[in-house]
Amino acid sequence: MSLPHSETALTFDLAALNEEFAPLDFQERITRLYEYFPVDQVLFTSSFGTKSVVMLTLVSRANSQQKVHILNTGYHFPETLAYKDTLAELTGLQVVEILPDPERNQLTRETKMWESQPGRCCHYNKVMPLRAVKARHQVWMSGVHSYQTMNRAAMEIFEEVDGLIHFHPLIDIEEGEFLYLLEKDKLPRHPLEELGYGSIGCTHCTRPGQGRAGRWAGTDKDECGLHVS
C-alpha cells in the first residue's frame, strides 16, 4: 500500500536526491528513478507536443512498463492525436487518457471560456482532472525544460509540491542538446512544427510562434497551471 503524499515526501531527502541525480545524464536519471520508486507509483504525463518525443523515448528505454498519461481536453489538434498514435507505436508505451468532468468541459464549450477566462478553462480541463490521478501516485514525472518559461527556470530535478514529489529529469537540458537527441535518433517531429508551431496545446489557445510565444498569444499567461507550484 502506498503512503499518502505528505508521508511519501517526508521519507525522501530531496536535496540528497538532487545532488545524486545532477551529474547523471538524462537517460541515467530516468533509469535510476525506478531504483527508488516502483513503476506503478510513477505518474508520467506527456502533452505529445513538439518537445515530447525525446522524453518518451528515454522513458521507454528505462522502463517499458511505464504508462504515459495524456490530458485529453477535447480541444487537441487532430495532428496531435495522430502524433500520439505514432509515438505510442514507436515507443511501445501504453497511453492512458485523462478526461475532464463532462459537465465542466461542456460549460467551457458553451461559454467559449478560453476567450474570457483561459485560466479557468485550463483548470477545469487539465488541473482538476489530473489532481485525482496524482493522488494515486508517489512521484510525478514530466519533461519540462528550464528554458521554456520563467516559472520552469526555477525548477529543480526533484521538488515537493503539496506532498507530491515532482521529477523533472530534463529540466536542465539546453535547446541544442534537445535538437541533438532528436537528430541522433532520427525521431519524428510533430507535424505542425513545419507550419511554424513551436509549442502546441489546445486549438483555441495555440498559434504559430517561436518557442512558447504562440501559447495564449496576446496575454500574460504562459502556463496552463499544471507545472506552477
Side-chain angles (χ1 to χ4, degrees):
M1 191 171 87
S2 62
L3 294 169
H5 284 170
S6 57
E7 294 183 31
T8 297
L10 288 174
T11 61
F12 289 93
D13 184 341
L14 298 189
L17 285 177
N18 278 318
E19 185 176 353
E20 176 186 343
F21 278 64
L24 304 179
D25 67 31
F26 307 120
Q27 184 67 76
E28 290 169 337
R29 289 175 182 175
I30 298 170
T31 300
R32 187 165 298 186
L33 179 75
Y34 297 103
E35 296 178 14
Y36 288 91
F37 300 94
V39 65
D40 63 345
Q41 288 301 313
V42 178
L43 170 63
F44 172 39
T45 59
S46 177
S47 66
F48 290 89
T50 59
K51 296 293 188 287
S52 297
V53 65
V54 167
M55 180 72 173
L56 286 159
T57 303
L58 294 174
V59 170
S60 69
R61 292 170 180 167
N63 195 322
S64 62
Q65 299 306 305
Q66 177 65 62
K67 297 177 181 178
V68 52
H69 289 69
I70 179 175
L71 285 157
N72 190 343
T73 62
Y75 298 127
H76 284 302
F77 287 91
E79 291 88 347
T80 296
L81 298 177
Y83 191 50
K84 169 181 67 68
D85 294 339
T86 296
L87 298 189
E89 183 175 356
L90 173 70
T91 63
L93 296 177
Q94 180 183 345
V95 179
V96 180
E97 292 191 349
I98 302 173
L99 300 173
D101 174 78
E103 291 185 5
R104 288 193 175 93
N105 179 260
Q106 184 61 30
L107 179 63
T108 64
R109 292 181 183 276
E110 291 173 351
T111 63
K112 295 185 177 181
M113 193 177 289
W114 54 84
E115 294 180 350
S116 59
Q117 296 178 290
R120 187 180 179 193
C121 188
C122 288
H123 190 74
Y124 281 176
N125 289 303
K126 294 184 176 182
V127 177
M128 292 182 71
L130 186 62
R131 185 179 294 157
V133 182
K134 288 194 296 185
R136 300 196 295 268
H137 296 81
Q138 293 181 325
V139 59
W140 175 23
M141 174 169 60
S142 60
V144 294
H145 305 167
S146 64
Y147 64 81
Q148 292 174 314
T149 68
M150 290 291 290
N151 176 68
R152 299 179 185 192
M155 291 180 176
E156 297 184 272
I157 300 171
F158 285 96
E159 297 185 325
E160 180 271 321
V161 180
D162 295 330
L164 179 67
I165 297 172
H166 290 206
F167 177 53
H168 311 125
L170 304 188
I171 193 62
D172 53 350
I173 194 171
E174 296 181 0
E175 195 162 13
E177 290 179 286
F178 177 83
L179 294 173
Y180 167 76
L181 292 174
L182 273 178
E183 294 302 319
K184 179 176 73 71
D185 293 325
K186 306 298 182 187
L187 299 175
R189 308 289 287 263
H190 194 294
L192 290 179
E193 275 196 270
E194 61 182 10
L195 299 181
Y197 289 82
S199 178
I200 299 166
C202 296
T203 54
H204 303 298
C205 300
T206 305
R207 300 176 187 173
Q210 187 175 6
R212 290 176 66 86
R215 303 291 297 276
W216 305 286
T219 74
D220 58 1
K221 181 176 172 63
D222 64 1
E223 292 274 8
C224 63
L226 293 175
H227 299 289
V228 177
S229 58

